[in-house]
Amino acid sequence: MLKIFKQYYPVRNIFFVIGEFLVICSSVLSANFILYGTGIFVGNWVLIFKIILIAWICQICLYYNDLYDLKITDNFSELSTRLLQALGASAIILAGIYAVFPGASIGLRVFIVCVAFDIVFIVSWRLGYTLILKYRIFDEKIALLGSGELSKNIFHEVLDRKDCGYVVSAVFLEGPKISDNVMRKYADNRKDLHIIDSGYHENLCEFSKSTGIRKIVVALEDKRGGKFPTKELLKCRVDGIDILEGTTFYEMLTGKLIVDHINPGWLIFSDGFRKSRTQRFCKRSIDLLLSFFMLIFLFPLILFIALLIKLDKKKPEHAFADIWKYFNRICSEEGVCPKDKIRFLIMEKLNMEITEGVACSFREIWQAFRARCSAKNEAFSDALQAIMKSYIDFKEPEDDSASPVFFSQERMGEKGKIYNILKFRSMIVNAERFSGPMWAGEDDRRITRIGNFIRKWRIDEIPQLWNVLKGEMSFVGPRPEREHFVRQLEQTIPYFRERLSVKPGITGWAQVCYGYGASEDDAKEKLNYDLFYIKNMSIAMDLMIVLRTIKIVIFGKGR
């Protein structure tokens, strides 16, 4: 296993990427050999540069078309489609380079033959690699000690990640019976998976050596007293078998922590969380330079988006429950019963049309109002909502002419400091007037038409460059949350406040790995990634996150 950007990758995966680079190079060499023979290679160092350029551009396009995500390219049709897209993008980029630097061109005939060889060679290379993954060739055998939630999580991650480089060969149960029975069910579909009962841990070392197990992952729920097989694990370690703590192994396997299974002691004694002065100085310097020059470079785009936002006049859509809640609040402030106020407003509405008057009982008023709605072919709930909305607007009038370009909102920054985040407005004005603070969801009715576009392409985040320039944010870091949600989530999610130990960022490890979240479960999962970033943050890791963010923006995967 190789450690790159604080994550471990199998040597096999690195070999696959380097091998594919050589495969692309060989396709260009083959095209030149067929068209011009061996004479073209003699002393032609410029040709080597041209070949490396083509291979480099092709591999970047393969990456940006998700061809290194084996979950996506698991079937031949998806692989073929994305491969053609990647080669097409490569052709366009190379054509642009050749137009600026004609000397870098390899010639049209060579390029056409090269593309044909690329398709054959890359597909063949990937089919061979798929067979290696399918038959678990070169996978390292591991054993899980434990049958609780952590052990199940590790088992599923290894099973889902075909290219992780590991295969679970044995599970040593710990009890209780419910957890043990779940692990036994996993063995029903895996003939090569050994399940060992909790009473047979004394043979742990002999069994591991006889089955070729190289690592034992300790994922016990209870590590106290006689339940922890100290002697057996010590014997395994002395005999050359690696012993890994469960949460540590999970971290290096997935690139995230798991807050439900880590304790303060693990965080205190684990590696990482280094924030040297040099690192802080370099990070701040990069933030200043990038934010300053990007604000200048993107100024025309900022003006164009501002104009579109001004022209977008989407009317707000409010849920009945939100309006009723807001109506109740106004009535409470006035010391009036909401039911009496509704009766008065309905009577006022009916009196505009009924000259003979109406009965004063609430039931008769209600029936008269329903009859009026039926006569006008109007939904009863819509009519009632309109009455409450009119009263709210009368008591607290809203400026309909206001259409601000920017949206400013308080967020919690480093060490809990409150600051105002700046974004392009992507929602209706006063989007939370009736509903109160709430997460934005998918197909949120409050989002404007231009808002959908700028959120998808992450353009709404551009004004945060000003926050970065002021030092309130960084380019990379955990996304800032509102104080309301921080107070709420830190009561239910362990270690949630630890994410405030660094500056919030425009993008982050959680954003590129998990994406958008709009619930408490999403917040917990994103915290797993945020803590991993805080624990392992570095300039190199920031660069990788920025490159992955560019990929997300290019393909419009934001929201």
Side-chain angles (χ1 to χ4, degrees):
M1 302 292 283
L2 294 177
K3 191 176 184 181
I4 302 174
F5 298 136
K6 308 296 182 177
Q7 267 192 280
Y8 288 88
Y9 296 91
V11 176
R12 179 186 64 199
N13 293 14
I14 308 301
F15 172 75
F16 169 67
V17 175
I18 295 173
E20 191 155 67
F21 178 84
L22 296 176
V23 163
I24 297 169
C25 290
S26 67
S27 69
V28 185
L29 288 170
S30 300
N32 276 280
F33 175 74
I34 289 173
L35 293 172
Y36 302 111
T38 57
I40 195 172
F41 303 120
V42 180
N44 195 346
W45 294 103
V46 176
L47 179 61
I48 295 174
F49 167 76
K50 294 177 181 179
I51 291 171
I52 292 173
L53 175 65
I54 291 172
W56 184 61
I57 295 296
C58 283
Q59 218 156 16
I60 289 174
C61 291
L62 290 173
Y63 166 74
Y64 276 94
N65 277 276
D66 290 324
L67 280 157
Y68 290 110
D69 187 342
L70 297 180
K71 290 182 180 178
I72 294 175
T73 58
D74 201 27
N75 60 76
F76 184 76
S77 62
E78 187 68 24
L79 171 63
S80 302
T81 302
R82 289 181 180 268
L83 179 58
L84 290 174
Q85 290 174 347
L87 292 176
S90 302
I92 294 170
I93 294 170
L94 287 168
I97 294 173
Y98 296 158
V100 179
F101 305 102
S105 175
I106 58 169
L108 181 60
R109 291 172 61 203
V110 174
F111 187 79
I112 292 171
V113 176
C114 171
V115 170
F117 276 122
D118 267 338
I119 294 172
V120 175
F121 286 3
I122 291 175
V123 170
S124 301
W125 175 256
R126 284 175 170 268
L127 287 176
Y129 187 70
T130 302
L131 289 175
I132 291 174
L133 294 179
K134 182 178 180 180
Y135 293 104
R136 297 285 185 176
I137 301 172
F138 307 124
D139 275 352
E140 189 175 1
K141 292 183 178 180
I142 64 171
L144 293 177
L145 182 57
S147 52
E149 284 300 317
L150 178 58
S151 182
K152 293 172 194 172
N153 287 334
I154 294 172
F155 185 90
H156 284 300
E157 290 291 346
V158 172
L159 197 63
D160 291 341
R161 299 169 185 264
K162 294 181 180 179
D163 60 337
C164 70
Y166 295 109
V167 59
V168 178
S169 293
V171 178
F172 292 85
L173 304 177
E174 64 170 315
K177 290 183 178 180
I178 296 175
S179 298
D180 290 350
N181 289 337
V182 172
M183 296 302 290
R184 284 193 177 93
K185 287 181 181 178
Y186 296 154
D188 293 341
N189 301 322
R190 288 271 311 276
K191 294 181 180 179
D192 59 335
L193 178 62
H194 303 279
I195 300 293
I196 295 93
D197 289 325
S198 56
Y200 297 92
H201 289 178
E202 64 272 8
N203 298 320
L204 180 62
C205 189
E206 289 75 13
F207 176 83
S208 298
K209 287 192 289 186
S210 65
T211 53
I213 290 171
R214 303 282 301 278
K215 283 183 172 64
I216 296 174
V217 180
V218 181
L220 293 167
E221 294 286 307
D222 189 358
K223 299 177 183 178
R224 297 171 298 176
K227 292 186 178 182
F228 190 76
T230 307
K231 292 182 179 179
E232 290 77 9
L233 290 175
L234 179 60
K235 186 178 179 183
C236 289
R237 189 69 193 95
V238 172
D239 285 350
I241 299 173
D242 292 333
I243 309 298
L244 299 174
E245 202 275 329
T247 48
T248 303
F249 181 78
Y250 185 87
E251 176 193 7
M252 75 177 197
L253 179 68
T254 62
K256 63 180 179 178
L257 304 188
I258 184 164
V259 293
D260 288 331
H261 297 287
I262 58 176
N263 54 57
W266 184 88
L267 287 173
I268 292 168
F269 293 108
S270 63
D271 292 332
F273 300 107
R274 295 185 179 91
K275 304 180 184 70
S276 66
R277 288 184 179 180
T278 304
Q279 185 189 53
R280 286 179 176 271
F281 175 78
C282 291
K283 190 175 173 69
R284 180 60 188 148
S285 299
I286 293 170
D287 287 342
L288 277 171
L289 289 171
L290 282 177
S291 59
F292 178 74
F293 286 109
M294 284 184 72
L295 280 169
I296 295 173
F297 178 75
L298 295 172
F299 188 69
L301 177 62
I302 292 171
L303 291 178
F304 178 68
I305 296 298
L307 177 63
L308 291 179
I309 292 172
K310 277 289 185 181
L311 294 174
D312 193 344
K313 300 290 185 180
K314 180 183 176 180
K315 295 295 182 182
E317 299 176 14
H318 301 294
F320 184 88
D322 293 335
I323 293 177
W324 174 251
K325 181 180 177 182
Y326 198 82
F327 180 79
N328 269 268
R329 184 183 69 77
I330 291 177
C331 292
S332 298
E333 290 174 356
E334 293 182 340
V336 179
C337 174
K339 183 178 177 180
D340 293 338
K341 176 59 71 175
I342 282 285
R343 179 170 60 179
F344 173 78
L345 292 173
I346 291 175
M347 287 178 64
E348 193 177 58
K349 187 76 174 176
L350 291 171
N351 285 336
M352 293 178 185
E353 301 174 1
I354 301 176
T355 56
E356 297 179 0
V358 294
C360 293
S361 73
F362 187 79
R363 184 175 180 180
E364 289 179 340
I365 293 170
W366 205 250
Q367 288 174 348
F369 186 59
R370 282 186 178 277
R372 172 192 174 277
C373 292
S374 298
K376 291 200 168 192
N377 199 22
E378 184 180 8
F380 175 77
S381 59
D382 292 343
L384 188 61
Q385 179 174 313
I387 289 174
M388 291 189 292
K389 180 75 166 51
S390 297
Y391 182 71
I392 291 170
D393 290 339
F394 171 73
K395 297 297 293 184
E396 298 181 3
E398 189 175 6
D399 185 6
D400 293 332
S401 63
S403 182
V405 170
F406 297 107
F407 170 74
S408 180
Q409 191 178 65
E410 285 190 348
R411 298 291 172 95
M412 288 193 80
E414 187 179 19
K415 298 177 181 177
K417 183 180 178 181
I418 304 297
Y419 73 99
N420 288 312
I421 195 172
L422 201 62
K423 301 176 74 173
F424 278 127
R425 182 175 60 83
S426 60
M427 292 188 176
I428 57 175
V429 180
N430 292 329
E432 295 180 339
R433 182 188 183 196
F434 296 109
S435 62
M438 61 182 293
W439 274 303
E442 192 171 0
D443 299 324
D444 198 309
R445 65 180 183 274
R446 301 171 300 165
I447 299 175
T448 62
R449 286 164 295 188
I450 184 62
N452 273 316
F453 173 78
I454 63 176
R455 288 168 75 93
K456 180 180 180 181
W457 298 96
R458 304 287 178 98
I459 297 173
D460 61 321
E461 312 286 358
I462 290 176
Q464 290 171 45
L465 292 169
W466 180 248
N467 294 111
V468 175
L469 192 64
K470 290 170 64 179
E472 296 166 336
M473 293 178 66
S474 177
F475 255 94
V476 179
R479 285 298 291 156
E481 290 286 0
R482 298 165 64 178
E483 185 178 10
H484 169 83
F485 292 126
V486 172
R487 304 291 184 201
Q488 175 184 322
L489 293 171
E490 68 181 347
Q491 300 298 320
T492 56
I493 302 176
Y495 313 111
F496 190 82
R497 198 171 183 84
E498 309 312 316
R499 66 198 302 278
L500 301 178
S501 62
V502 297
K503 286 182 181 179
I506 296 177
T507 185
W509 186 238
Q511 278 63 48
V512 299
C513 292
Y514 187 74
Y516 195 84
S519 67
E520 189 171 308
D521 289 336
D522 289 334
K524 181 186 288 186
E525 187 63 16
K526 291 178 76 172
L527 177 64
N528 290 329
Y529 288 103
D530 286 335
L531 288 178
F532 177 86
Y533 170 76
I534 295 169
K535 183 173 181 286
N536 301 291
M537 63 187 295
S538 65
I539 301 300
M541 189 174 184
D542 284 0
L543 176 62
M544 181 182 68
I545 292 170
V546 169
L547 292 175
R548 291 180 67 170
T549 302
I550 293 171
K551 177 181 173 182
I552 291 170
V553 172
I554 288 174
F555 290 96
K557 295 180 179 178
R559 177 151 59 88

